[in-house]
Amino acid sequence: MAGFTFRLLWSGLSLLTVHALAASIGKPSAATVCEQLYTLQQNNTVLHSQPQYGSLSTENWSETAWANPTCIVQPANVVHLQEVVRLLSQKNVQFAIRSGGHLPSPLGANINNGVLIDMSLFSQLHYHPDKRLATIGPALKWGEVYEALAEHGMTAVGGRILDVGVGGLILGSGLSYLSDLYGLACDNVVNFEVVLANGSLVNANAKSNPDLFWALKGGANNFGIVTAFTVRTYPIGKVWGGIKLYSLDQLPTVLAAFDAYQSVPDKDPYANLMIQAAPTNASVGVLVNLVYLKPESSPAAFRAFYDIPTLADSTKIQSFNEFMAGGVMPNIARWDWHATSFTPSSSFYSNLSTLMTTAPEIKEISSLNTGTLVLGLQPISTSLIAAGQARGSNALGLIARNQTWLVLDVGWQFSSDDDAAHMAGGKLKDRIERMSVTSGNYVDYIFMNDASWDQDVLEHYGPSNVARLRQTRATYDPTAVFQRLVPGGFKLGV
Ligand SMILES: Cc1cc2nc3c(=O)[nH]c(=O)nc-3n(C[C@H](O)[C@H](O)[C@H](O)COP(=O)(O)OP(=O)(O)OC[C@H]3O[C@@H](n4cnc5c(N)ncnc54)[C@H](O)[C@@H]3O)c2cc1C
Ligand SMILES: *[C@@H]1O[C@H](CO)[C@@H](O)[C@H](O)[C@H]1NC(C)=O
Ligand SMILES: *[C@@H]1O[C@H](CO)[C@@H](O)[C@H](O)[C@H]1NC(C)=O
Ligand SMILES: *[C@@H]1O[C@H](CO)[C@@H](O)[C@H](O)[C@H]1NC(C)=O
Ligand SMILES: *[C@@H]1O[C@H](CO)[C@@H](O)[C@H](O)[C@H]1NC(C)=O
Ligand SMILES: *[C@@H]1O[C@H](CO)[C@@H](O)[C@H](O)[C@H]1NC(C)=O
Ligand SMILES: CC(=O)N[C@H]1CO[C@H](CO)[C@@H](O)[C@@H]1O
């Protein structure tokens, strides 16, 4: 098999690296390293001049993530990846890491003048029925994971939209429709297999490298490159779920129902939902994606919504995967999003509804070509936080309060509007945040997977967690390779 040939070629690379280092004079460049990679591993190195370069550098969810890497490496296995990381570390060449490519941040998972490590070939999936665990590769899409697990009657705690990537979602914590029952995606990892800055391969779990295990649960790309996640799986049967669609002017009523849903005593953890409203686009209105993780029609958990007349309603009993396949995002070229968190109250939601029709930023966004704003609201219950703690702690510093994670998704067409779109979204997020600070509803937490590139997510994990993350970095990446040489993504800071 090709694997054998790869090994021979790649053991040649180590030797060459040593010679090259010994002889190194002057400043090493990404172009030199790319030539070396290409000489040694043609099949897995894509240079600027090659036909595949275009589609690989423009993958893909949002055009804001496109860039011009000097070359793109697609390691075929762990040994390849170790050699690539060793070479880049030794030569001090900057690089980016990409799994599913769904982060819209410019240069968050891509790079100009550097090497893009594209993890596409890490798409393994093994289910271990005796332990109810699955080992999954970072390049898989959640739809592929769910489909494979469904054959065993199981599912995993992962993305709510099927084409999101595994790697970035878990390393950014990962919110799922199962989270009130089982915690966040990162809470359900039992082992991370990781290539460290010096190229060594380690497992991080409760027993081996427990400090790294903790740090990776929210630590993004600050500690190493994850080559495999072993995650807990859970039985799933049919669910009741779908989308209830309301008109935009029903937003205050829908948010009042949302408040009632969140504030009942002992909220049923089998119920979950996500609200999306498009104040720039009245024809889209307000979408409530709701799911009950049992085959039970119209469960009591959602009773606050049942009296509100809908424009359309697709709720029915179906498979969990069919339900998630119904979740969509508008097809718009460029995206940015901003996150903030607050504790719910009826007065806060009422003021938020008003803001969504009056804030000047909404006009600024709708005046851009295909300018679109989607307000997203995600309920986070204390049971989610407790379920996470019960599975071992994470680095996120969440406080045990019922809360809402808000996201403003901003979509537009042309790069010439990038600054205007980013500014408007950021100003609106700040406006909402000021309102929550004034009313005492503010929660000092930024959900990484919904955050914009200029939100300092890790700093908000709290001072003691940040100190512990820095300590962990000193152990596993003493020369701060993942800070200095990997500029993209949410960084811990030096
Ligand atoms: C349509 C859509 C729906 C979404 N739904 C959800 C949802 O339901 N729940 C949720 O939590 N989030 C959701 N997200 C957000 C999503 O989790 C983030 O955008 C996440 O970064 C995507 O992961 P990825 O692997 O596709 O991204 P990438 O762009 O490939 O990577 C994201 C970041 O992680 C780093 N990274 C990726 N792989 C590795 C690795 N193997 N080792 C080290 N670092 C790595 C990258 O360097 C980059 O900084 C959604 C996003 C989209 C676009
Ligand atoms: C490179 O790819 C070609 C075409 O797919 C294949 O025939 C060849 O065996 C590969 N070489 C290695 C070293 O894997
Ligand atoms: C969170 O809300 C639930 C009801 O949904 C309630 O039972 C619980 O006491 C609340 N927790 C806190 C810490 O307020
Ligand atoms: C909502 O707005 C009113 C009027 O401005 C204000 O008095 C109240 O404090 C606000 N409440 C919240 C929770 O923001
Ligand atoms: C609003 O949404 C509709 C339906 O998705 C779409 O056809 C239309 O182009 C959108 N308008 C704007 C301004 O985005
Ligand atoms: C690589 O780094 C790890 C963590 O700092 C260290 O334990 C290990 O000894 C290093 N390996 C080599 C070969 O230097
Ligand atoms: C790799 C890939 O799929 N690239 C596509 C991303 O989306 C743009 C526009 O939709 C296509 O032109 C690219 O081919």
Side-chain angles (χ1 to χ4, degrees):
M1 248 194 65
F4 182 63
T5 326
F6 278 140
R7 262 169 210 278
L8 289 178
L9 283 171
W10 281 77
S11 56
L13 176 59
S14 309
L15 271 177
L16 186 128
T17 306
V18 172
H19 289 304
L21 257 191
S24 100
I25 33 160
K27 204 174 170 218
S29 73
T32 312
V33 167
C34 283
E35 277 161 31
Q36 281 180 333
L37 289 169
Y38 188 69
T39 311
L40 288 153
Q41 193 36 262
Q42 280 195 29
N43 279 11
N44 296 85
T45 306
V46 177
L47 299 175
H48 215 285
S49 53
Q50 291 174 282
Q52 318 91 293
Y53 178 90
S55 66
L56 286 175
S57 58
T58 59
E59 248 183 40
N60 203 12
W61 190 71
S62 167
E63 288 183 19
T64 49
W66 296 5
N68 278 297
T70 310
C71 63
I72 301 160
V73 191
Q74 296 180 304
N77 54 43
V78 166
V79 175
H80 288 185
L81 178 64
Q82 289 178 282
E83 298 290 359
V84 172
V85 173
R86 257 177 225 138
L87 182 66
L88 295 168
S89 289
Q90 287 169 355
K91 298 263 169 148
N92 274 307
V93 166
Q94 289 203 321
F95 59 105
I97 308 149
R98 184 175 72 198
S99 288
H102 272 54
L103 178 67
S105 303
L107 307 177
N110 207 338
I111 193 159
N112 295 321
N113 303 314
V115 175
L116 170 59
I117 300 178
D118 173 356
M119 297 294 286
S120 293
L121 301 178
F122 285 77
S123 56
Q124 72 276 29
L125 194 154
H126 303 289
Y127 179 60
H128 317 287
D130 48 327
K131 295 181 180 143
R132 292 190 161 189
L133 297 174
T135 301
I136 58 181
L140 289 168
K141 304 293 167 75
W142 284 102
E144 298 171 310
V145 175
Y146 299 146
E147 205 177 305
L149 293 177
E151 286 172 25
H152 305 276
M154 307 297 278
T155 193
V157 181
R160 293 159 298 175
I161 303 276
L162 297 178
D163 74 338
V164 185
V166 162
L169 183 135
I170 297 182
L171 290 167
S173 75
L175 183 58
S176 150
Y177 286 119
L178 304 170
S179 290
D180 278 0
L181 280 170
Y182 310 124
L184 296 164
C186 66
D187 296 319
N188 287 284
V189 177
V190 300
N191 189 67
F192 296 91
E193 184 190 80
V194 197
V195 172
L196 300 177
N198 65 6
S200 64
L201 182 74
V202 299
N203 284 300
N205 55 55
K207 294 206 173 89
S208 304
N209 303 302
D211 43 354
L212 181 61
F213 181 52
W214 172 85
L216 287 169
K217 294 193 261 179
N221 64 14
N222 288 282
F223 298 92
I225 302 182
V226 176
T227 52
F229 301 86
T230 301
V231 299
R232 292 186 182 87
T233 66
Y234 298 97
I236 188 88
K238 298 250 181 207
V239 305
W240 179 80
I243 297 174
K244 286 183 184 287
L245 179 68
Y246 305 93
S247 66
L248 198 55
D249 55 19
Q250 287 175 294
L251 184 62
T253 316
V254 172
L255 294 192
F258 184 39
D259 181 57
Y261 163 87
Q262 284 181 287
S263 55
V264 290
D266 302 319
K267 196 232 125 215
D268 184 341
Y270 285 87
N272 214 318
L273 62 76
M274 169 168 72
I275 294 178
Q276 288 168 303
T280 47
N281 196 325
S283 67
V284 175
V286 183
L287 286 82
V288 183
N289 276 272
L290 38 82
V291 65
Y292 195 66
L293 299 165
K294 293 175 184 174
E296 205 179 289
S297 291
S298 305
F302 301 117
R303 64 179 162 267
F305 292 93
Y306 299 147
D307 288 340
I308 312 174
T310 56
L311 296 175
D313 187 343
S314 67
T315 50
K316 61 178 179 199
I317 291 180
Q318 54 187 327
S319 77
F320 187 39
N321 296 352
E322 285 164 342
F323 159 71
M324 283 188 287
V328 284
M329 287 284 278
N331 185 18
I332 291 176
R334 309 179 81 80
W335 287 98
D336 181 23
W337 45 52
H338 306 260
T340 186
S341 308
F342 57 85
T343 55
S345 76
S346 57
S347 142
F348 190 80
Y349 281 133
S350 158
N351 290 359
L352 183 64
S353 300
T354 307
L355 209 56
M356 285 301 131
T357 54
T358 57
E361 293 79 21
I362 294 165
K363 276 210 188 77
E364 289 171 32
I365 293 168
S366 56
S367 73
L368 307 175
N369 193 304
T370 76
T372 300
L373 171 68
V374 180
L375 163 75
L377 295 168
Q378 307 165 119
I380 303 299
S381 73
T382 49
S383 73
L384 174 153
I385 294 157
Q389 278 160 356
R391 286 161 180 74
S393 65
N394 58 45
L396 306 170
L398 293 167
I399 53 155
R401 290 179 74 181
N402 295 311
Q403 53 196 275
T404 301
W405 292 353
L406 177 148
V407 60
L408 298 175
D409 298 320
V410 182
W412 69 101
Q413 183 68 32
F414 296 118
S415 58
S416 50
D417 288 333
D418 284 6
D419 289 347
H422 178 71
M423 292 284 287
K427 273 193 298 180
L428 184 54
K429 183 269 295 170
D430 289 345
R431 195 183 286 283
I432 295 167
E433 206 162 272
R434 277 197 304 276
M435 191 168 90
S436 72
V437 169
T438 306
S439 63
N441 292 71
Y442 177 64
V443 171
D444 185 12
Y445 181 72
I446 302 172
F447 176 36
M448 183 185 291
N449 288 350
D450 283 343
S452 191
W453 50 267
D454 60 354
Q455 292 193 271
D456 201 351
V457 171
L458 283 100
E459 247 350 279
H460 289 259
Y461 290 176
S464 67
N465 285 1
V466 171
R468 191 170 160 198
L469 287 169
R470 292 219 165 87
Q471 187 58 49
T472 306
R473 175 178 63 203
T475 307
Y476 293 93
D477 182 9
T479 60
V481 165
F482 285 95
Q483 308 301 310
R484 292 183 296 116
L485 301 183
V486 183
F490 295 99
K491 306 312 291 189
L492 181 55
V494 188

